[in-house]
Amino acid sequence: MSATRYRRFLRLCEEWPIDETKRGRDLATFLRQKVALAFREGESTQISDPEKCDQMYESLARIHANVYKEKFPRVRDTSFTGVTVEECRVVLATDSMQQMEDMKKGMWKKLKERFSSKAPEEGAKE
């Protein structure tokens, strides 16, 4: 029975699309890692709680099949801020997040230098 569960999870992982804009941070990658961890021994892995395993699979399958998206359709494709889905994708992309981190580091460095009581040369000597 474990072999059947393992194959079902593998099939679900194969079908779940990887979002290339979120390299290493998307749900598909996370699921693949968790399945690999849960089924370390492949088909011969012993499941301690088969009911819970089946529930997890069914929940993930419903999310993948967009059951809730169809059951509870959205009136608009924007959030309460008015940001569209595409704008959210751009902001959450790994490249955009990296650019924001670089900007934060630059600003932090400027503030640190501005409010430092020591001259930059003195701070480097310590």
Side-chain angles (χ1 to χ4, degrees):
M1 197 65 169
S2 292
T4 306
R5 286 184 180 91
Y6 177 65
R7 281 188 232 118
R8 286 178 24 182
F9 272 101
L10 282 182
R11 194 174 328 112
L12 182 66
C13 287
E14 288 172 3
E15 292 174 2
W16 207 295
I18 294 177
D19 188 352
E20 293 298 329
T21 63
K22 298 178 187 171
R23 290 180 299 273
R25 301 180 304 116
D26 67 321
L27 185 57
T29 303
F30 177 78
L31 288 176
R32 284 171 172 78
Q33 291 170 351
K34 288 297 182 179
V35 168
L37 189 63
F39 292 96
R40 286 186 201 124
E41 299 170 17
E43 294 182 351
S44 60
T45 301
Q46 295 299 316
I47 306 295
S48 60
D49 191 356
E51 287 182 25
K52 186 175 179 183
C53 181
D54 291 341
Q55 286 175 347
M56 279 192 240
Y57 173 79
E58 294 301 325
S59 295
L60 290 170
R62 283 192 300 269
I63 292 170
H64 176 63
N66 289 322
V67 170
Y68 301 108
K69 182 179 180 182
E70 293 170 9
K71 188 174 181 179
F72 305 105
R74 297 179 55 99
V75 178
R76 297 181 195 96
D77 285 335
T78 60
S79 66
F80 73 97
T81 61
V83 178
T84 64
V85 173
E86 189 55 38
E87 290 170 332
C88 284
R89 281 193 183 114
V90 170
V91 169
L92 294 174
T94 301
D95 296 337
S96 297
M97 293 186 83
Q98 185 64 41
Q99 288 174 351
M100 286 190 277
E101 284 297 316
D102 292 344
M103 287 172 44
K104 284 181 189 177
K105 290 178 185 175
M107 180 181 272
W108 174 250
K109 207 174 214 180
K110 289 176 190 176
L111 288 172
K112 189 175 175 184
E113 290 173 359
R114 181 180 292 171
F115 293 109
S116 176
S117 60
K118 301 176 184 177
E121 296 81 31
E122 291 177 17
K125 291 179 183 176
E126 295 180 4

